[in-house]
Amino acid sequence: MLIGELSKVSGLSRDTIRFYEKNGLIAVGKKERRFNNYKEYSDDTLKRLLSIKQLKGFGFTLNEIADLLDMLDVNEATCKNVSHKIDEKVLLINQKINELKAVRKQLLDGKKNCQSETGSLKTPDETCPVFVV
């Protein structure tokens, strides 16, 4: 399939696909080019792009994804070899969740400072205290 169809099927933009190719996450050989030099992407490339998309959705960086794809390529992506990477990512996600909860609390507390007990704004025309440093 050509890049337009690959983009449509994968849900990734053409620029993203080209970026992944430029950075070695996917490869298109000379044999996979048409006579007019258009690239013909295989079903394997689509599967690889969908794997990249899924891994990005899990929060892995492109460098981490490259490492995981390399492991897949040489059949070393066993549960034993990958579990520590998953544990590290889950730890980072938990830290981010805690940070986001703290930010949410700060915002809601700041908003409470603006409201009277009835919920109306105490001083609607003054600068919101959330943004005063």
Side-chain angles (χ1 to χ4, degrees):
M1 69 188 88
L2 297 176
I3 195 166
E5 184 180 354
L6 184 63
S7 173
K8 186 176 182 180
V9 174
S10 69
L12 298 169
S13 71
R14 294 172 189 217
D15 289 339
T16 299
I17 294 168
R18 288 183 186 112
F19 178 81
Y20 290 163
E21 185 177 355
K22 180 181 175 186
N23 286 281
L25 295 172
I26 62 170
V28 181
K30 293 286 184 190
K31 292 180 186 177
E32 296 170 313
R33 292 180 186 262
R34 292 183 173 183
F35 69 92
N36 57 4
N37 211 29
Y38 285 9
K39 295 175 187 171
E40 184 77 35
Y41 295 92
S42 67
D43 288 338
D44 288 339
T45 300
L46 173 61
K47 289 176 188 173
R48 192 165 177 100
L49 284 171
L50 293 175
S51 294
I52 294 167
K53 186 176 178 180
Q54 181 181 35
L55 290 167
K56 280 200 54 65
F58 290 150
F60 287 98
T61 66
L62 288 182
N63 287 336
E64 292 168 331
I65 291 170
D67 290 343
L68 291 167
L69 291 174
D70 288 344
M71 292 173 76
L72 280 169
D73 290 343
V74 294
N75 293 322
E76 290 184 2
T78 63
C79 291
K80 180 181 177 184
N81 291 338
V82 174
S83 65
H84 75 280
K85 291 182 182 287
I86 293 171
D87 289 340
E88 289 173 0
K89 190 54 60 183
V90 168
L91 181 65
L92 287 172
I93 290 169
N94 287 335
Q95 289 172 345
K96 189 66 173 177
I97 288 170
N98 290 333
E99 290 170 10
L100 288 170
K101 284 180 178 179
V103 168
R104 179 181 63 194
K105 183 178 179 345
Q106 288 176 329
L107 286 170
L108 292 174
D109 288 349
K111 184 179 174 191
K112 261 187 217 174
N113 290 336
C114 290
Q115 294 175 327
S116 66
E117 292 178 21
T118 63
S120 62
L121 296 177
K122 290 180 186 175
T123 53
D125 296 326
E126 290 183 21
T127 301
C128 178
V130 173
F131 303 113
V132 178
V133 180

